[in-house]
């Protein structure tokens, strides 16, 4: 891997282009992860429950990230390889199934484009380096977590824990932050939201957030270090408050209806990852 990075360090445009194309391809896979991983987890939980209750297994076809092949949710037609090319296929099909002409959600190409753009931006900002590779992986995992939480109010351990461990592993080489800052950041991230959760539950008798939020905040602490955590939580809370009020005012959203906090943490974490030091420096400069 190091040899490949060294070979393209003298060709930044090639590196950016490679990452952009790879990002489009990974974005297509992220669409699969976002759709299938919650279903896989639900099936696994039900299977465990049936086993504990000594109930017979329910027959079902194998279901994973790779099988069965993708089908149209409306007519069940198999999606062919040429119909699964990132962005281009959606444009050629004019956003409709080739078999039944049912509309294909704009979100599919949007996630592919977002994945490609973020990969290209990280490649430009960090160059052909381990920092560039890490930043791209960081962005891709946050994309998957954001949209799964939007759809299901779920932050799967299958994604939050690898994000946490990757942050700690990158810290061993001081790629983004030193190991001490990453370890303290991971612990502080988890314990801070866990404490807020327990206090809120004690005062109201309700659960204000899920355990997945604790783990995501811990993962962000591992990548950013403990120093950036106050900025992340402030940005996430501000974004959540603004968008929550807007949803109530514009869409008539029920105030009692729970809102996922993971997307705000993810966006705030990405902003802090890219511009956290500049934001903190600007803020402190106001008081000098």
């Amino acid at each position: 891997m190091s040899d490949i990075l060294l070979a393209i360090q003298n060709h930044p445009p090639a590196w950016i282009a490679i990452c952009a194309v790879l990002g489009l391809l990974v974005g297509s896979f992220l669409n699969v992860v976002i759709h299938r991983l919650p279903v896989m987890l639900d099936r696994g939980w039900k299977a465990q429950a049936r086993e504990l209750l000594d109930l017979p297994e329910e027959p079902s076809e194998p279901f994973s990230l790779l099988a069965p092949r993708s089908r149209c949710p409306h007519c069940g037609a198999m999606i062919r390889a040429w119909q699964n090319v990132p962005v281009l296929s959606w444009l050629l099909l004019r956003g409709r199934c080739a078999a039944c002409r049912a509309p294909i959600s704009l979100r599919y190409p949007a996630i592919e484009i977002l994945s490609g753009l973020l990969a290209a931006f990280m490649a430009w900002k960090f160059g052909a380096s381990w920092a560039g590779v890490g930043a791209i992986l960081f962005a891709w995992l946050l994309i998957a977590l954001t949209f799964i939480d939007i759809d299901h109010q779920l932050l799967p351990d299958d994604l939050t824990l690898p994000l946490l461990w990757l942050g700690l592993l990158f810290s061993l080489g001081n790629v983004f932050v030193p190991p001490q800052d990453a370890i303290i950041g991971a612990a502080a991230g988890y314990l801070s939201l866990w404490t807020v959760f327990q206090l809120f539950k004690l005062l109201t008798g309700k659960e204000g957030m899920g355990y997945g939020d604790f783990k995501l905040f811990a993962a962000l602490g591992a990548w950013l270090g403990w120093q950036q955590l106050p900025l992340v939580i402030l940005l996430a809370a501000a974004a959540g408050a603004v968008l929550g009020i807007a949803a109530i005012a514009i869409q008539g959203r029920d105030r009692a209806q729970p809102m996922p906090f993971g997307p705000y943490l993810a966006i705030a974490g990405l902003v802090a990852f890219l511009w956290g030091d500049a934001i903190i420096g600007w803020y402190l400069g106001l008081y000098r």
Side-chain angles (χ1 to χ4, degrees):
M1 185 67 173
S2 298
D3 293 338
I4 297 175
L5 294 177
L6 288 173
I8 58 178
Q9 278 181 339
N10 295 328
H11 301 85
W15 167 244
I16 295 171
I18 289 171
C19 290
V21 173
L22 183 60
L24 291 173
L25 297 173
V26 171
S28 181
F29 177 69
L30 290 180
N31 277 318
V32 176
V33 173
I34 291 165
H35 172 69
R36 294 195 179 195
L37 183 57
V39 177
M40 292 164 55
L41 293 174
D42 183 66
R43 289 189 175 196
W45 296 329
K46 288 180 178 178
Q48 293 175 15
R50 298 185 72 85
E51 183 178 353
L52 288 172
L53 295 172
D54 198 23
L55 296 174
E57 295 184 8
E58 292 183 341
S60 61
E61 65 174 340
F63 190 86
S64 67
L65 296 179
L66 302 177
R69 288 180 56 185
S70 298
R71 299 175 180 270
C72 172
H74 299 280
C75 67
M78 192 81 68
I79 297 177
R80 301 176 182 177
W82 72 269
Q83 298 168 346
N84 211 22
V85 179
V87 182
L88 183 60
S89 290
W90 190 89
L91 293 173
L92 291 175
L93 293 168
R94 298 182 179 179
R96 294 187 176 276
C97 171
C100 67
R101 307 307 298 165
I104 302 172
S105 174
L106 180 61
R107 199 172 85 170
Y108 291 108
I111 289 175
E112 293 166 353
I113 293 172
L114 177 62
S115 177
L117 288 177
L118 281 177
F121 181 79
M122 296 299 188
W124 169 79
K125 182 174 179 63
F126 294 97
S129 62
W130 282 112
V133 173
I136 291 170
L137 292 175
F138 179 71
W140 286 343
L141 283 167
L142 288 182
I143 290 173
L145 285 164
T146 294
F147 285 96
I148 290 176
D149 204 23
I150 289 173
D151 289 344
H152 303 279
Q153 295 188 15
L154 172 70
L155 293 169
D157 288 352
D158 301 63
L159 297 178
T160 54
L161 295 185
L163 183 65
L164 169 62
W165 291 118
L166 277 174
L168 294 175
L169 288 172
F170 273 102
S171 76
L172 294 177
N174 289 289
V175 177
F176 300 109
V177 295
Q180 182 175 346
D181 290 350
I183 294 170
I184 295 174
Y190 187 92
L191 291 174
S192 59
L193 288 191
W194 179 87
T195 302
V196 172
F197 170 87
Q198 296 297 339
L199 290 175
F200 184 84
K201 186 176 181 180
L202 181 65
L203 294 173
T204 67
K206 301 178 181 178
E207 296 184 353
M209 63 183 69
Y211 277 70
D213 296 318
F214 313 162
K215 297 168 189 175
L216 176 55
F217 200 36
L220 295 177
W223 282 85
L224 306 176
W226 61 269
Q227 298 91 337
Q228 297 281 358
L229 291 181
L231 174 64
V232 172
I233 201 66
L234 286 173
L235 289 175
V242 171
L243 294 178
I245 293 172
I248 292 172
I250 298 173
Q251 300 177 351
R253 184 188 181 100
D254 185 357
R255 296 184 181 183
Q257 183 180 354
M259 291 180 60
F261 190 51
Y264 306 120
L265 280 176
I267 294 170
L270 189 61
V271 170
F273 180 74
L274 294 171
W275 302 290
D277 291 337
I279 294 173
I280 293 174
W282 167 80
Y283 178 77
L284 294 177
L286 296 176
Y287 298 92
R288 290 175 182 172

